[in-house]
Each structure stands twice: as C-alpha cells, then as structure tokens.
Amino acid sequence: MSLKERLFGPAWESKDPAVRIQSVNTGMEQQLFASLPEIARKDADASVRLAALRRLNDESAWLQARLNETDEAIRSHADQYLLRRACAEPAADGLEHRLGWQKTLTDADSIRRLAREGADAPIRRAALARIESPGFLGDCYVAETDEEIATELLERIDQVSTLKRISSALRKRHKHRHQAVMHRLARLEGDTGSHDARDELTQHLIDKLEQLARGEFSGDRLAQADHLQNQWNELPDPDPAAARRFEGAMKIVRSALKPKPKVAPAVPEKVVVAEARSELTLLTEKARNMAAQPASDETDAALNALMSDFDRAWNATGSPSQADLDARIHFSALAGELQARQQALRNRPPTRTKTESDADGSRPEPAATADPQLIEALNQALQTAEQSLEAGHISDAASAVDKARSAFDRLAKKHQPRAVPGELARMAGKLKEMRDWQHWSNNKLRERLIERVGEIDVAGLHPDAVTARLKELRERWKELDQQEVMPGDKRQFSAPQGQWRRFQKACNEVFESARPFLEKRSEVRDQSLQELKDFLVDARQVADDAEASSDKLIRYQRAARQAIRNLDTLPPKARGKMASTLRGLMDDISAALDKHFDAIESEKRRLIAEACKLAHEKDRAVAIDRAKSLQAEWKKAGHSRRKVDDKLWREFREPIDPLFEELKKARDEHKQAEKAQTEELKALCARAEELVDSETDELESLAGPLTGLEREFNGFSPIPPGLRKRFDQATARYRKRMDDLRQQREQQKRAHLDKLIETLQDTWKQRAAGKPVEPLQDLPQVPDGDALGQSLLERLQRFADSEIDTGQLTAEVQALTGDARQVVIEMECLAGVETPEEDRRQRMDYQINRLSHRLADGAPRPDLGSERTGLQQRWLESLPHQPDQHGKLKKRFEAAEKILKQMTA
C-alpha cells in the first residue's frame, strides 16, 4: 500500500463519487477486486454501484442487483445484461434464479425475446406462458426446437388464420409438425362449417395408404398402417365417400399383411374388378412358364388362347391400377418373345431342327463357299449377345445383336443360316423385355429421385449442401438416362417428358431457396476481392517505402499470408491472379525486412559489447541500473530473425544475469519475510475466529481481547486482502452476535413490560366497571435497574389495592389518558399521519410550540430515532387509560409507530 493510500485510504473509498468511479473502472489492485461485490451492493452513489457491476461482469451479482436495487437505471442495465446471458448460453446451477428474474420482467419485447431465443427450455416455456398473441405463438411453434414445448404451444393457438400460415411454412420444413397443425386446424374448422383442412388431411392419408397397398414403402408396413389408422381416427367427421375409400384400402393392406389360405373359388359369370386384377397376374405367370419351356408346334395355339384371355381380363378391369399396368408390360414382353420364337421355329429347315443342329452346342455351318470371317464374326456376335443377355448387360447385348444382324445381312442370301433369324428375333424380344423392365425400374427410381428432391431440408441445411445435393441427384438422373440409351440410338434422354418436367420443377424450387445465399455470397466475394485489392495497394506502398518500420512490414507480411489462406473467399476466377500477386508482394516485403534485420542485429551486437563492460563496474547498483537501461535499448531495437535473435539474446544475457541473480536473492529474502508475516496474520485470524465462536455467556468479556487482536492485526503492513477480509468477517460476526444478544435482552425486557401493561390496563378496566379486582398472580419479575418496569409494577399494585379510592384513581387515569393523547399526536406529527378532527387543534398547537422553541433557542433538529424512543417511553408511562379511549389511542399509536420504525430503519 502506498503512502497516499495509508493516509487517505484507497481511491475506491474516496468521498468523491467521480474518483470512486475512476478507480472502479481502471484500478488493478487485488484489494479492489475483492471489494467489488461490496461496492456493488453498498456504495452510496448509484453510478459507482453500476460501474462495479460492470467490472464484475458476474450474473449472480447482476441478479442480486436486479432484485434488491432501488435505482431504476441499474435495474434496467441488469435486465439488459441478464437478457443477453439468458439468450446466449444455458444456465448451469442458476436456472432457478433466472426463472425468478424472468417473473419480474414487465417489458413485452424482453419477454418475447426470451420466448424466441432463450437458451434454456424452461425459460422459453415460462416466457411463452406469459404471451397471448396467437401470431407470435405460431412463429415460436415453427422455430421451437423442443417438441414438448411445441406441443403445448399448438394447443394454445386457436386462430385459424395463424394455423393456416404456419401450416404453409411447415409443409416442406417439418412434415410431422405440419400434420399436427392440420389436425388442430381440422378440429377448429369443424365448428365453422369449413372442411378444407380436414379434406386435405383426408386426401393425404388416403394417398399414403394406397401407396402402402401398392407396396411403395420400405420399412415396417404394419406399424405404418397402424399409424395411418390412428391419424384417421383423429379426423373430425371425415367425408363418407373418403371413408369408404380409406377403409377399402386398409382392408387390402391388412389382408396383404396377414395372408389367408388360398381357396380356388368357382369362376362366376360376371368377374369383378379385383378378380380381374388377380387373373392378370395369373395369366402373366402362365406366359412366364410357357417362355421357360422349349418351343413346339402346339405353342401357337396356346399362346393365342393366352393372349385372348389376357385381353378379356384387361377389358374387365375398368380403371387399371399401377399393378395392372406393370402386369400388362410384363405380359407384352413375354408374348413378344414367344411370338419371335415361334416365327423362328416356322422358318427352320425341313430336315434339320435347331435342337439337332445345336446338340453339340455349335452354330449351324453355312456352305463352304461362304466368307469364313463373316461366319466367325456372326457366331462370335451371337455368342456374345447370348452371354450378355444371360448376364443382364443390356448395352453389350444390344451392340452384339446389331453386330450379328450386320454380319448376317452381309452374307449372301444362299449362305445365310436359316436358324439365325429366329435366334435374332428371340434375342431382340428378350432384349426388348429387359429394356422395358429397365425403363420401368428406372422410372420408379426417377420418382424416388423426385421425392428425394422434395425431402431436402432447405431450412436446416447450408445452401452449399443444398446445391451439392441437387447436383448429386441430377447426376443420378443422368446415369439412369445413360443406362437406357443404347449404342446408335438417336435419342439421348429416356425419361418421360412429364416426369422430367416434375423433376426440373422440384429442383428449381429447391434451388430458388438457395439462390439468395448464393447471390449474397457472390456479392461478399466481390467485396472481399475489392478489399484485397485495396490492401495490395497499401501493402505495395509500404513495401516500397524505405522508411517503413520492421513491425509494420511484418504486420503486412502476416496479413498477406492470411490472405493467401483465405483465397476461397474470393471469386474462383480471381484466385490464381491474386495468389500470384500476393506471393510477389511477400517476396518484396521479405527483401525489405532483410535490410531492417541487418540494422537491428548490428545495434544488438553493439549492446552486447556494452553489456560485457559491466563486469568491470565496481558499484553494483550502478551496474544494475546500466543493465536495465541496456535492456530497455534492446527492447527498443526491435526483433530480427528468430534464430539469430535468440543467439544474440543469450550472448547479451550472459554478462547481465549474475547482476540480476543477486537482486533476485534479495527479493526472495523479502518474500520469505512476507510469508512469515502472512503466517502470523493467519494465526491472528484463527485466534479471532476462535474468540468469536465462544459461548454466548462469554461474549461480553471478549470485547477487550478481540480489540487487542485487532490492534495487533492492524499493526502489520501490508495486509493481504484475503486475510483482511477474513479478519473483518470475524469481527463483524462478533458484532452481529452482540447485537443479537442485545436484541434478545430487549425482547425479554419488552415482554415483561407488555405483561405489566396488559395487567395494569385490565385491572383499571375492572375497577372502572365497578367489578372486584382479582388478586394479582404470575406477575413477571422486573430486572434490577429497570426503573420503568418498577414504576409500572408499583402503579399496578396501587391500582389493585381496593383500599385506595376509585375516584382518586379516576382523576389520575384521566390525566394519564391526556398524556397518552399528546404522545399519539406527537407520534402522528413525526410520522406525517393524519390526526382525527377532535385532536387537530391540539396537534397545531404542538407544531407551533415546537417550531417556536427551535427558532427561539436555535436548537438543532432532534434525531428522529431519539424522539421515537422518548415517545415510546412516555407512552408506557401514561398507562393505564380510560377503557373507552384506550383501544383507539393504541391503534393510532401503533400505526404511527410502524411508519417511524420504517423511517428509522
């Protein structure tokens, strides 16, 4: 502690508030930091308390100030600080305190911000409970991350327009909440006669169930069916036609999930649609089995009958489903393959069948005059096409079939093998079937790609992730097209136009959501490029300035390195050029730095030579001062190359270190002395704490020893703030215990007096009513030295004495009652309480006499606490009172006494 602080005290205890504020804002003393909580609570100036709270920057301190502070400015700053903390980070152990503070908030904007941005879910829930605006609650429902709070919010929103608005916002962002809003909206619309939400939900559930019935679902189908049924049950009075449609689809799903034994029913005359659909599947299976059998002459009739049955069943379907369309595509492919095989069978030579010619697995050989290379190419192409078809390689099979057909056509007609056209027709039919199936499968995949585009979480993903996801899905769409485009095909796209347009529309809608970000990022990149160009202009001037300091050059060099690391913030086309420009700039800065470093190293070598001369200095104090001066010059010289600088620093420290080692030794001795003093102070603190914790009966006798310890403790200097606080806490605890002891004795004394007063008033009441006075019993013992208690006890005994004339006592009581009335009037005057009409004249006389006395005698204004104590004494001395006036006077006295107690607290 400095001499100034010893004489005048620390600056934060100054009488000038401006000095205290300056100290609290800029002081770095440990004792100040330890005193900040007390300053924030107790300083007389509100500005000082606010400065201490800001310096503390502690949430608990701000909470305490918010609840206990009377200054509105501090309360407002506390609300702002606590609002920022509550929105920035969750509370660890202080959640209850935050909730208590939140209940005291009255500003609507603050409550709304807590409801939107509160870091703790309980804080948001409590704030939302205080808000009644349906529109705001709807916005919070859309943004709320806690599902439980979101459910509670939805139940509170009963405004149809708000529900429709948040339904539109959640349609693509959060499908689960969107469905919950629609259910809520459907329940509310039932009372208004509108059924838009109900009908939309109805259609959605029916679509989902029909997809499930068609098998377009991956996962637990039974659980999905139960989920859809539960959602359907929540709908308020669905349309009967929609209900029948839903129930029919649900029956199909249930029957598919729990299949029953198949019983061959009798074929009725009129076939219903469901039977027709099952017949389509059976006919397709028959066609598949027929294609698996070897071709024969009887196949034509069976195939014609099968095709006739299929056409009849198809015509009976009425409105075909997707399963019917799939069955028709499959049946058509199989029928085409069978027809091609039968055509090949009809064109075979009369003396040689395909089975006979291929018994050894070889192809039929043409006449000897045929071109052997064409024959070899034909056989090789047919074999490759067969293998590719078996392996499912459509593109290779199509290429091989084209090669085989080309080789076959180039042969002379008389040399063309008769079995080859049938084989080519069979392969073409098989290839067409595979391509049809590939196209059908790819269309399913394309539908899934369209759904995946719609599933992109535009709100939850970064726009870069959105565009990357769109690019990935587009590449997958392109791959599907490439799978179907055969070599030599003129068309380049295989997807249906309607499907492609829906895919494009979905992609464009998603991309439009990311467009603002991409445009903004492009704008930011252009701005970053301009900022980099401005930096390069400034950096080039610094690099070319011969007078530029090394520190400035290093700053620009580091900035240039950072700019190279951040080239991704620039437009892609400008990155290469900017990187080259930055590298050239850094080369020029490095050359300029080399010149600076050479000059710095020369200066430091001169300082090393000066340091070596200190070894010959006889006066150690002069040598140390000179060493400090050289150190300051070394620091002022600046930094050079790190390795060279480290080496020069070691050379510089070699002659200086011995000087500072002696200085360090002296400082260590001083620290040891301070440590010993600290131990003594700790012992004094422990002794004081031991005295303070003594028995209550010994407290009064410990005042002297504790004062001696305090005098001894204050004799040390300096005193660490922690020990000072510890000792002060012990003495404060002693004073509190003494205050509690005095209050206890006062309460005991007051209890004696209250008993005496009550008994005295009751005794006079009986005598005034002409009733006999009961003998006095169980009177409290009046302590020795209590003059007021002795006086009241003697008065009680006199009033209880039946030999004393009642008339004499009546005159005395009337006088005492007048005294009591005067006391009450004076109490009301001091407390500023209105006096009843009958006593207002007496009160005016008292006020005039009081003012005249002060003006005439020049007496100072008496202390309010002393006056209150004197009036209490006079009131007790005025008892007993007239029974008919005692109650009213007592009530007036207690009302004024309550106010005076608050004024003197």
Side-chain angles (χ1 to χ4, degrees):
M1 182 180 293
S2 64
L3 179 61
K4 181 179 179 181
E5 292 179 346
R6 292 180 186 176
L7 294 176
F8 302 104
W12 60 86
E13 294 180 359
S14 172
K15 294 182 179 180
D16 187 353
V19 176
R20 297 204 301 274
I21 292 177
Q22 179 68 19
S23 175
V24 168
N25 286 334
T26 61
M28 299 300 295
E29 300 87 345
Q30 291 296 328
Q31 188 175 358
L32 170 62
F33 292 129
S35 303
L36 282 176
E38 185 176 0
I39 296 173
R41 291 193 308 270
K42 299 182 179 181
D43 195 277
D45 190 272
S47 301
V48 179
R49 297 197 299 273
L50 180 58
L53 287 168
R54 287 174 171 169
R55 189 76 184 274
L56 276 172
N57 195 29
D58 180 67
E59 182 174 352
S60 59
W62 281 105
L63 273 170
Q64 185 178 5
R66 176 61 179 82
L67 298 177
N68 301 329
E69 185 62 57
T70 58
D71 186 78
E72 288 300 328
I74 295 180
R75 291 165 64 89
S76 175
H77 281 87
D79 283 338
Q80 295 173 11
Y81 175 88
L82 295 171
L83 183 62
R84 290 195 300 270
R85 290 294 296 269
C87 295
E89 59 186 28
D93 299 330
L95 181 58
E96 293 298 328
H97 297 295
R98 282 190 181 180
L99 287 171
W101 159 73
Q102 185 271 148
K103 294 178 182 178
T104 65
L105 280 179
T106 57
D107 181 59
D109 292 338
S110 299
I111 297 174
R112 290 195 172 203
R113 184 179 175 188
L114 281 180
R116 289 192 308 268
E117 306 174 16
D120 300 292
I123 291 289
R124 297 198 301 275
R125 177 183 282 111
L128 288 167
R130 302 177 61 185
I131 299 173
E132 298 298 335
S133 171
F136 180 80
L137 294 178
D139 295 337
C140 291
Y141 176 77
V142 173
E144 180 56 53
T145 57
D146 190 282
E147 290 298 331
E148 184 177 350
I149 296 179
T151 303
E152 296 173 0
L153 281 177
L154 184 58
E155 291 302 321
R156 293 178 56 194
I157 302 174
D158 53 7
Q159 192 174 68
V160 174
S161 60
T162 298
L163 290 172
K164 289 182 178 179
R165 178 172 59 82
I166 63 177
S167 170
S168 301
L170 290 170
R171 187 179 300 276
K172 294 183 179 181
R173 183 186 305 181
H174 201 307
K175 295 186 177 180
H176 172 71
R177 289 193 185 176
H178 170 70
Q179 293 299 316
V181 173
M182 294 302 295
H183 278 284
R184 174 70 171 161
L185 189 57
R187 292 197 299 271
L188 293 177
E189 285 184 344
D191 299 333
T192 63
S194 175
H195 302 292
D196 294 341
R198 184 202 67 184
D199 295 342
E200 181 179 345
L201 276 175
T202 300
Q203 187 61 40
H204 173 77
L205 293 177
I206 291 175
D207 293 343
K208 286 288 185 182
L209 188 60
E210 290 181 347
Q211 289 180 5
L212 187 63
R214 293 194 298 268
E216 299 175 3
F217 180 79
S218 59
D220 191 343
R221 299 180 65 192
L222 180 59
Q224 178 69 359
D226 293 339
H227 176 66
L228 293 175
Q229 184 66 59
N230 293 334
Q231 287 191 325
W232 181 268
N233 294 336
E234 293 178 3
L235 289 178
D237 300 328
D239 183 70
R244 288 192 296 273
R245 183 178 172 188
F246 182 87
E247 291 171 0
M250 182 59 73
K251 288 180 181 179
I252 295 174
V253 173
R254 297 293 186 188
S255 61
L257 294 176
K258 297 180 180 179
K260 298 179 180 179
K262 295 183 179 179
V263 179
V267 180
E269 294 182 358
K270 295 183 178 180
V271 182
V272 297
V273 176
E275 292 172 345
R277 290 176 179 172
S278 63
E279 187 176 355
L280 292 177
T281 305
L282 293 174
L283 293 174
T284 304
E285 292 293 334
K286 287 183 180 181
R288 185 182 295 107
N289 294 333
M290 187 179 295
Q293 302 296 327
S296 64
D297 294 335
E298 292 79 12
T299 305
D300 281 336
L303 178 59
N304 291 333
L306 187 63
M307 294 174 65
S308 177
D309 292 341
F310 190 89
D311 290 340
R312 176 185 55 78
W314 175 260
N315 294 331
T317 57
S319 177
S321 66
Q322 184 64 38
D324 299 334
L325 295 174
D326 296 341
R328 184 176 184 180
I329 293 173
H330 196 185
F331 183 85
S332 299
L334 292 171
E337 181 181 352
L338 287 169
Q339 288 175 338
R341 287 170 54 184
Q342 291 306 113
Q343 180 66 31
L345 184 63
R346 286 192 293 270
N347 294 335
R348 67 185 177 182
T351 58
R352 179 171 177 166
T353 64
K354 181 178 182 299
T355 305
E356 293 171 349
S357 64
D358 292 344
D360 58 352
S362 62
R363 302 285 177 189
E365 293 293 337
T369 57
D371 189 348
Q373 293 183 352
L374 288 177
I375 296 296
E376 179 64 25
L378 175 62
N379 291 335
Q380 183 66 32
L382 290 173
Q383 184 176 1
T384 302
E386 190 71 33
Q387 293 173 352
S388 299
L389 288 173
E390 291 296 330
H393 299 156
I394 299 177
S395 178
D396 295 342
S399 178
V401 169
D402 290 342
K403 289 180 180 179
R405 186 176 287 111
S406 175
F408 180 80
D409 292 340
R410 287 160 57 192
L411 286 171
K413 193 169 185 179
K414 61 182 179 180
H415 297 151
Q416 292 177 343
R418 295 183 180 181
V420 170
E423 288 192 54
L424 290 175
R426 179 183 63 81
M427 291 181 182
K430 183 67 174 178
L431 183 61
K432 182 178 183 304
E433 179 189 7
M434 293 176 63
R435 291 188 66 179
D436 289 342
W437 274 104
Q438 180 71 50
H439 182 66
W440 177 83
S441 175
N442 285 351
N443 283 346
K444 294 292 183 182
L445 294 176
R446 292 185 181 100
E447 288 294 336
R448 178 57 186 152
L449 290 178
I450 295 173
E451 293 179 4
R452 289 168 69 182
V453 172
E455 292 171 358
I456 295 177
D457 186 4
V458 177
L461 291 176
H462 191 275
D464 282 341
V466 172
T467 55
R469 184 64 175 149
L470 286 177
K471 184 178 180 181
E472 176 188 347
L473 295 176
R474 285 183 175 276
E475 289 294 331
R476 180 58 181 150
W477 186 282
K478 185 177 180 181
E479 291 174 3
L480 294 178
D481 280 346
Q482 292 174 352
Q483 289 177 3
E484 298 186 42
V485 176
M486 297 293 105
D489 284 357
K490 294 182 178 180
R491 63 171 184 168
Q492 298 298 321
F493 306 101
S494 303
Q497 288 296 321
Q499 199 177 39
W500 167 248
R501 285 193 294 270
R502 288 192 291 113
F503 180 73
Q504 278 288 86
K505 181 180 179 182
C507 291
N508 290 337
E509 289 177 355
V510 174
F511 181 75
E512 286 301 321
S513 65
R515 183 189 297 275
F517 169 81
L518 299 176
E519 293 176 351
K520 182 63 178 178
R521 184 172 65 180
S522 177
E523 179 183 346
V524 172
R525 285 178 173 176
D526 293 340
Q527 183 179 356
S528 299
L529 177 61
Q530 185 60 44
E531 291 176 356
L532 180 58
K533 291 179 178 179
D534 296 340
F535 165 77
L536 289 173
V537 172
D538 296 340
R540 176 53 59 188
Q541 293 178 355
V542 173
D544 296 340
D545 185 5
E547 301 297 329
S549 65
S550 59
D551 291 340
K552 191 173 184 179
L553 290 170
I554 290 173
R555 286 199 305 272
Y556 275 89
Q557 187 183 51
R558 291 174 179 172
R561 290 174 181 170
Q562 187 65 32
I564 285 184
R565 298 190 189 102
N566 296 332
L567 286 175
D568 56 340
T569 61
L570 304 178
K573 295 182 179 180
R575 292 173 186 173
K577 181 179 179 181
M578 290 297 103
S580 176
T581 305
L582 286 169
R583 291 191 185 97
L585 172 66
M586 288 192 294
D587 291 341
D588 295 341
I589 292 177
S590 296
L593 281 174
D594 288 340
K595 297 180 181 179
H596 282 275
F597 289 156
D598 291 341
I600 292 172
E601 290 166 7
S602 298
E603 175 64 16
K604 289 187 174 182
R605 288 189 178 92
R606 183 188 69 79
L607 295 176
I608 292 173
E610 292 291 331
C612 292
K613 297 178 182 179
L614 296 177
H616 306 290
E617 179 63 49
K618 297 181 180 179
D619 191 339
R620 291 299 175 188
V622 174
I624 290 174
D625 290 342
R626 179 56 180 158
K628 291 180 180 180
S629 175
L630 291 175
Q631 284 181 332
E633 293 182 37
W634 183 281
K635 185 176 181 180
K636 186 177 179 180
H639 299 284
S640 63
R641 304 173 186 88
R642 177 173 295 180
K643 292 184 178 179
V644 178
D645 208 18
D646 292 342
K647 180 181 178 182
L648 294 176
W649 173 250
R650 289 192 294 271
E651 294 178 6
F652 179 71
R653 291 301 304 267
E654 184 175 353
I656 291 179
D657 283 346
L659 298 175
F660 287 102
E661 286 178 0
E662 296 181 4
L663 184 61
K664 182 177 179 298
K665 183 178 180 181
R667 290 177 177 174
D668 290 341
E669 292 176 355
H670 180 68
K671 287 182 180 179
Q672 290 295 331
E674 287 185 346
K675 184 177 180 181
Q677 176 179 310
T678 302
E679 294 299 326
E680 293 183 18
L681 291 172
K682 288 181 179 179
L684 291 176
C685 289
R687 177 57 181 158
E689 291 168 348
E690 182 181 352
L691 291 177
V692 171
D693 293 335
S694 300
E695 297 294 334
T696 304
D697 298 339
E698 302 176 0
L699 284 179
E700 293 181 343
S701 62
L702 297 177
L706 189 61
T707 302
L709 287 176
E710 188 172 8
R711 187 179 302 110
E712 183 178 357
F713 185 86
N714 292 330
F716 289 95
S717 179
I719 300 176
L723 294 178
R724 164 61 70 183
K725 182 178 180 181
R726 179 180 172 185
F727 192 85
D728 290 345
Q729 287 176 345
T731 55
R733 193 162 70 252
Y734 173 78
R735 288 191 294 270
K736 185 177 183 305
R737 290 190 65 187
M738 287 298 298
D739 290 341
D740 293 343
L741 180 60
R742 283 192 292 269
Q743 290 179 5
Q744 181 180 0
R745 290 176 178 174
E746 288 292 334
Q747 291 174 358
Q748 292 174 354
K749 180 180 177 182
R750 182 69 183 182
H752 297 160
L753 292 176
D754 290 344
K755 181 65 176 178
L756 285 174
I757 291 168
E758 183 181 359
T759 306
L760 178 57
Q761 186 65 37
D762 290 344
T763 300
W764 170 243
K765 184 177 181 181
Q766 292 178 3
R767 292 202 63 171
K771 298 179 181 179
V773 179
E774 297 180 0
L776 299 177
Q777 296 179 355
D778 300 332
L779 291 177
Q781 296 293 329
V782 178
D784 295 338
D786 186 358
L788 179 59
Q790 291 293 343
S791 174
L792 291 175
L793 181 59
E794 292 174 359
R795 186 176 297 176
L796 173 59
Q797 291 172 351
R798 188 158 55 85
F799 273 69
D801 189 356
S802 58
E803 296 181 359
I804 299 178
D805 183 32
T806 304
Q808 178 183 353
L809 295 177
T810 300
E812 183 178 350
V813 169
Q814 290 178 350
L816 291 173
T817 303
D819 295 341
R821 183 178 302 277
Q822 180 64 31
V823 171
V824 170
I825 290 172
E826 294 181 17
M827 290 281 286
E828 291 173 341
C829 182
L830 290 177
V833 178
E834 285 289 335
T835 301
E837 183 66 30
E838 63 269 16
D839 294 335
R840 288 184 181 175
R841 183 58 181 269
Q842 189 174 347
R843 174 173 174 169
M844 185 179 298
D845 294 339
Y846 166 71
Q847 290 176 331
I848 293 173
N849 291 334
R850 177 184 175 92
L851 180 61
S852 300
H853 174 68
R854 289 184 56 195
L855 294 176
D857 299 342
R861 185 172 183 176
D863 178 59
L864 184 60
S866 301
E867 284 193 277
R868 175 189 167 212
T869 303
L871 290 171
Q872 289 174 339
Q873 177 82 10
R874 289 169 55 192
W875 170 263
L876 295 175
E877 291 174 352
S878 68
L879 290 162
H881 309 144
Q882 290 290 359
D884 58 342
Q885 302 180 35
H886 174 71
K888 185 176 181 181
L889 291 174
K890 182 179 180 182
K891 186 181 295 185
R892 291 168 59 187
F893 177 83
E894 290 176 349
E897 164 66 14
K898 183 178 180 181
I899 295 175
L900 288 176
K901 184 178 180 180
Q902 294 175 352
M903 294 171 63
T904 57

